[in-house]
Amino acid sequence: MAEPRTASPRRPPAPRWPRLLLPLLLLLLLLLLLLPAPSQGLGLSAELAFAVEPSDDIVVPGQPIVLGCKVEGTPPVRVTWRKNGVELPESTHSTLLANGSLLIRHFRLEWGGSPSDEGDYECVAQNRFGLVVSRKARIQAATMSDFHVHPQATVGEEGGVARFQCQIHGLPKPLITWEKNRVPVDTDNERYTLLPKGVLQITGLRAEDSGVFHCVASNIASVRISHGARLTVSGAGSGAYKEPTILVGPENLTLTVHQTAVLECVATGNPRPIVSWSRLDGRPIGVEGIQVLGTGNLIISDVTVQHSGVYVCAANRPGTRVRRTAQGRLVVQAPAEFVQHPQSISRPAGTTAMFTCQAQGEPPPHVTWLKNGQVLGPGGHVRLKNNNSTLTISGIGPEDEAIYQCVAENSAGSSQASARLTVLWAEGLPGPPRNVRAVSVSSTEVQVSWSEPLANTKEIIGYVLHIRKAADPPELEYQEAVSKSTFQHLVSDLEPSTAYSFYIKAYTPRGASLASIPTLVSTLGEVPAPPPLSVRVLGTSSLQLLWEPWPRLAQREGGFKLFYRPASMAAFTGPILLPGTVSSYNISQLDPSTVYEVKLLAYNQHGDGNATVRFVSLRGASERTALSLPCDCRKEEVTNQTSTTGIVVGIHIGVTCIIFCVLFLLFGQRGRVLLCKDVENQLSPPQGPRSQREVLALNGVGRGERGQLGGEKNVDAKELEQLFPSAGAAGQPGSRPTQDPTIPASCEETQLSVVPLHCFSLLVDRTMDAKSPCAGPVTAPPPQDVGPSLLSEGQAAQPSAMLASCSRQ
């Protein structure tokens, strides 16, 4: 029987990370090889910049001085120094140290023909990428002048105030101390106050304060002692009341930030006044760095720009509102410092590069730009905007690759910041197009031609023509694309008599070539176009001519010529010469009954342009003047507008109504056409309703019906023609009949309309009874009762006329 096999233990799988480690190490090594070395000028360390710049200093003549300068950037870096803008040569007198600092072994003043070492010093650093210049450091010699104000003798009462002052100039500012009887004044005595500007105040005078006081001024250059001034303290005062008085008030001060401001205020009075301080603008003075020295002197340590203002010292009598004030202005200046530094940039050739730097300070700093240490001004393809805070370089090329510096400077100091411009240039790009020529074809067209570049022309995909007015900045240029097989281009839509600049670039898929040499050409001139002209009638004998002014005519020895004449005459009056800036002209003393021809043209050095002609008559103005007579009219309703045409129509309506009234009166008197009583007896039923309507037709009735009129006289067409003249005669204005006072008024108004006689008929609408007051003959109302309104157009076309109607009220 076979023995069972025992399973052998399985080996654990080998870890995979040793096999993956080798490829990762190889990949890391490859990346390290591909990274550029620090010597290639990449990274922050590659930027040429100052780690230490020289600072202002005051030096004792004969002593050595070291001006510090430390530069960072891609080596090799060459460091030199400038004094007052001129490169300083190395000599035994001044030595350039290994770290870039400048050593002057024995500082000297001008003497015996040797130049003085005083001046403005700059450290200059340069490498293969460009050049930078440090801030200016002002180096001055230490000096001490004589006292120009000595302390004066003083007499004071016990308990009063004494004040001594001395003034002296020196570099650096002298330190002022005081001596009493050749012994330094005890500064621990609270009654003695020493102010930095050379003032000694003594309050609460006592007899032991009497003595001789001297002012002592000292700095690194020298020590000066003033004349002596005696203080005499008399007996106690009378104790009588004295108004508050400010003996010395604050002075106007101009300081730089971080200095100390001392505002003095000395007040006397009995009782002793209380001294307080405030700002004139109402802002709080604050407490940080503020202290009151002595009995009322305001000390502001480490001043800032925010401390600038007018400070008011007030001396108040205790317990009252009696006060005296004095004020002084404090101005704090701040050296220029950058809010925004320019940044280094890389741009392809032919594009635009822009640097921006913003600086602040008090007073506001002035900004200038340097290119490799040389002042860069606007011009060509370089533009400065926004108070020089923005530098724009258009169409950059290899010559624009440099280090650009922004220098901000004011009366309190200067500061600088730099940035580098790198122009990217691809290999194998074509050279600039050659032989660029521009020829003016007309007043608005220029023909530009060129030759292809000398090298690398196979990859050219086209050309771009850059166009701008010669007087315009580069940013206003525009471009037009041209095919690669075309070596000339007609530029149109240009302005006449204007200079233009043209240059060309060749483009490939990898970039643009350098720009060709610009060429200038002026378009041909032309006469001006006809000016737009409008005429306005001012009165019965004057006109006003209006047109648009053309200021460019004045620049081109041009203007306007004006002619006018009666249309019936051959000769013009003129020319009247007017400048190009004029836009109107008045012509007076004209004949109102004459039509005038007006002609206006523009001219320049090339000749006269075409004229704009207008014909105008003043007759309408004279007629409107005659119709504009005063009248006393009462309006029942205000409408949107009233015109002369509406007034004339109203007059015609009134005249027409009056004529119809006259015709109706004549018809009622001579023809006896209709009587209210006969119509009621013959046409109305005896007991019919009052509202029955009866119609009597006079024209076209039957013979039997005519007999029913009884003894009334028949009306034939001849009689109607005599009663009603033709419509044309009736419409003549001026036939205004007078009213007959014997004719009674009717019960209702009468509406009239003229129709042809062959279709004339009469309609009567009546509602009356036997007792009606209108039972007699129907007569026309008086003319004043006739309404001014006419029948509508549809009513006038009917072969009938509503002559009269009566109704009982």
Side-chain angles (χ1 to χ4, degrees):
M1 190 172 174
E3 297 181 356
R5 292 183 179 181
T6 58
S8 60
R10 179 177 298 179
R11 282 186 178 184
R16 301 179 59 187
W17 65 267
R19 289 181 294 175
L20 297 176
L21 182 61
L22 183 60
L24 289 175
L25 291 176
L26 292 177
L27 180 61
L28 180 61
L29 180 62
L30 181 61
L31 290 175
L32 291 175
L33 292 176
L34 292 177
L35 287 176
S39 60
Q40 292 180 340
L42 298 178
L44 293 176
S45 61
E47 295 292 339
L48 190 62
F50 290 99
V52 177
E53 294 185 79
S55 57
D56 299 344
D57 203 352
I58 298 174
V59 189
V60 178
Q63 298 295 320
I65 179 176
V66 176
L67 302 178
C69 180
K70 183 179 179 181
V71 183
E72 295 178 348
T74 303
V77 178
R78 177 174 177 264
V79 178
T80 58
W81 283 83
R82 293 177 184 173
K83 176 188 173 184
N84 297 331
V86 179
E87 185 173 347
L88 189 66
E90 289 194 32
S91 64
T92 57
H93 179 65
S94 58
T95 303
L96 180 65
L97 302 180
N99 63 353
S101 300
L102 179 67
L103 169 64
I104 301 177
R105 301 182 184 277
H106 300 283
F107 190 85
R108 65 191 177 191
L109 297 175
E110 184 176 0
W111 183 79
S114 299
S116 172
D117 289 328
E118 289 186 306
D120 295 333
Y121 288 79
E122 298 169 303
C123 180
V124 181
Q126 184 176 13
N127 64 3
R128 61 191 179 94
F129 296 114
L131 180 149
V132 292
V133 181
S134 72
R135 67 176 298 274
K136 292 180 181 179
R138 176 158 294 181
I139 307 301
Q140 297 173 289
T143 60
M144 176 76 80
S145 68
D146 293 329
F147 284 96
H148 54 276
V149 173
H150 290 269
Q152 301 296 319
T154 303
V155 177
E157 298 177 349
E158 286 189 11
V161 177
R163 179 180 182 272
F164 295 101
Q165 182 180 10
C166 66
Q167 290 183 4
I168 189 172
H169 291 309
L171 284 176
K173 186 178 181 179
L175 174 65
I176 305 296
T177 60
W178 288 87
E179 294 179 352
K180 175 188 175 184
N181 299 329
R182 296 298 181 176
V183 177
V185 170
D186 184 10
T187 56
D188 294 333
N189 191 335
E190 295 182 355
R191 296 187 301 109
Y192 283 70
T193 303
L194 279 68
L195 301 183
K197 64 177 184 176
V199 172
L200 172 63
Q201 297 174 357
I202 307 174
T203 59
L205 287 175
R206 301 173 184 175
E208 61 266 23
D209 294 327
S210 298
V212 178
F213 291 82
H214 291 83
C215 176
V216 181
S218 60
N219 66 4
I220 60 176
S222 180
V223 177
R224 296 280 192 271
I225 300 176
S226 71
H227 299 161
R230 181 173 294 277
L231 171 61
T232 302
V233 180
S234 62
S238 61
Y241 168 77
K242 293 182 180 179
E243 289 282 345
T245 303
I246 296 180
L247 298 179
V248 180
E251 297 177 348
N252 295 332
L253 296 178
T254 299
L255 303 176
T256 306
V257 290
H258 308 306
Q259 291 183 334
T260 298
V262 179
L263 300 173
E264 185 181 8
C265 186
V266 179
T268 62
N270 191 17
R272 178 181 295 178
I274 300 174
V275 177
S276 61
W277 286 90
S278 63
R279 288 177 60 115
L280 190 62
D281 56 9
R283 295 170 54 190
I285 295 178
V287 294
E288 186 176 356
I290 306 295
Q291 62 176 328
V292 177
L293 192 61
T295 59
N297 306 289
L298 183 65
I299 308 298
I300 306 176
S301 303
D302 193 20
V303 294
T304 63
V305 176
Q306 286 71 27
H307 287 122
S308 297
V310 177
Y311 289 80
V312 180
C313 166
N316 295 73
R317 178 187 174 188
T320 68
R321 295 186 177 181
V322 178
R323 60 182 295 179
R324 297 291 183 269
T325 60
Q327 63 185 31
R329 181 180 296 275
L330 172 62
V331 177
V332 181
Q333 296 182 342
E337 61 179 358
F338 289 103
V339 178
Q340 180 180 356
H341 292 74
Q343 302 296 321
S344 297
I345 56 176
S346 299
R347 294 288 183 271
T351 59
T352 298
M354 180 180 296
F355 295 100
T356 300
C357 81
Q358 294 183 358
Q360 66 181 8
E362 186 60 39
H366 174 69
V367 176
T368 57
W369 287 87
L370 305 179
K371 176 185 177 183
N372 286 339
Q374 301 298 321
V375 177
L376 183 65
H381 64 307
V382 177
R383 305 293 296 177
L384 295 175
K385 298 184 295 184
N386 302 328
N387 293 328
N388 292 355
S389 63
T390 302
L391 169 65
T392 304
I393 308 171
S394 58
I396 59 175
E399 68 278 2
D400 296 311
E401 192 170 71
I403 295 179
Y404 293 84
Q405 284 182 271
C406 175
V407 180
E409 187 175 9
N410 64 5
S411 57
S414 65
S415 184
Q416 66 84 28
S418 61
R420 175 182 162 200
L421 172 61
T422 302
V423 180
L424 303 179
W425 183 257
E427 297 294 334
L429 290 178
R434 301 174 298 117
N435 304 326
V436 179
R437 295 179 66 251
V439 179
S440 182
V441 177
S442 67
S443 60
T444 59
E445 295 177 327
V446 170
Q447 183 79 26
V448 182
S449 59
W450 62 94
S451 301
E452 67 177 358
L454 291 176
N456 303 323
T457 60
K458 293 183 179 179
E459 296 186 2
I460 293 179
I461 58 176
Y463 297 90
V464 173
L465 178 61
H466 296 252
I467 309 160
R468 69 176 176 92
K469 294 180 182 178
D472 287 348
E475 55 263 26
L476 294 183
E477 76 174 15
Y478 63 97
Q479 299 86 31
E480 293 186 6
V482 185
S483 169
K484 66 177 182 178
S485 59
T486 302
F487 299 102
Q488 63 180 4
H489 183 69
L490 182 65
V491 183
S492 57
D493 296 330
L494 304 178
E495 295 185 6
S497 302
T498 304
Y500 285 86
S501 171
F502 303 91
Y503 68 90
I504 307 173
K505 290 182 181 179
Y507 277 79
T508 68
R510 292 186 291 174
S513 71
L514 292 177
S516 67
I517 299 176
T519 181
L520 293 175
V521 67
S522 295
T523 55
L524 300 177
E526 67 175 0
V527 297
L533 175 64
S534 61
V535 182
R536 185 167 64 183
V537 178
L538 298 179
T540 59
S541 62
S542 58
L543 299 174
Q544 185 179 39
L545 311 180
L546 302 171
W547 63 90
E548 290 293 332
W550 291 357
R552 296 188 61 182
L553 289 176
Q555 302 173 2
R556 300 178 178 178
E557 302 176 1
F560 296 100
K561 293 182 180 180
L562 176 63
F563 304 84
Y564 69 95
R565 67 176 179 182
S568 59
M569 297 182 63
F572 279 96
T573 299
I576 302 173
L577 300 180
L578 302 172
T581 55
V582 171
S583 61
S584 64
Y585 187 79
N586 293 347
I587 305 176
S588 58
Q589 298 180 356
L590 302 176
D591 186 358
S593 61
T594 304
V595 176
Y596 283 87
E597 179 183 358
V598 180
K599 182 169 66 174
L600 180 70
L601 60 87
Y603 69 94
N604 57 16
Q605 71 270 29
H606 301 290
D608 295 348
N610 293 330
T612 302
V613 180
R614 295 286 184 269
F615 291 87
V616 61
S617 173
L618 299 174
R619 185 175 303 165
S622 60
E623 291 178 356
R624 286 194 296 270
T625 302
L627 289 174
S628 300
L629 299 176
C631 64
D632 185 11
C633 305
R634 184 172 63 184
K635 297 183 180 179
E636 297 180 357
E637 183 179 359
V638 179
T639 57
N640 292 332
Q641 62 178 0
T642 301
S643 63
T644 304
T645 305
I647 296 174
V648 174
V649 171
I651 294 174
H652 291 173
I653 292 173
V655 172
T656 304
C657 292
I658 294 172
I659 293 173
F660 276 108
C661 291
V662 173
L663 294 176
F664 184 71
L665 291 175
L666 294 175
F667 177 79
Q669 289 177 356
R670 298 180 58 187
R672 304 285 183 179
V673 178
L674 181 62
L675 297 176
C676 290
K677 184 176 180 179
D678 295 336
V679 173
E680 182 180 4
N681 294 332
Q682 297 178 14
L683 300 180
S684 299
Q687 297 179 351
R690 295 183 179 180
S691 60
Q692 281 185 339
R693 297 180 176 269
E694 300 175 354
V695 178
L696 175 62
L698 297 180
N699 189 16
V701 296
R703 294 183 179 181
E705 296 173 331
R706 291 184 183 183
Q708 297 177 1
L709 293 176
E712 293 294 327
K713 182 180 178 180
N714 294 332
V715 181
D716 56 5
K718 292 183 179 181
E719 185 173 0
L720 288 177
E721 289 177 356
Q722 294 176 0
L723 294 175
F724 293 89
S726 64
Q732 292 296 331
S735 58
R736 196 179 186 97
T738 59
Q739 180 180 346
D740 189 351
T742 62
I743 301 176
S746 66
C747 299
E748 292 182 357
E749 293 182 352
T750 302
Q751 297 181 357
L752 306 174
S753 173
V754 177
V755 296
L757 292 178
H758 67 274
C759 60
F760 181 84
S761 63
L762 180 62
L763 299 179
V764 180
D765 185 4
R766 298 185 56 199
T767 304
M768 58 177 54
D769 54 16
K771 298 181 180 180
S772 173
C774 293
V778 177
T779 57
Q784 62 267 25
D785 293 335
V786 178
S789 59
L790 295 175
L791 293 178
S792 64
E793 182 178 354
Q795 292 170 317
Q798 299 296 328
S800 62
M802 184 70 70
L803 295 181
S805 66
C806 292
S807 68
R808 177 177 163 186
Q809 301 295 333

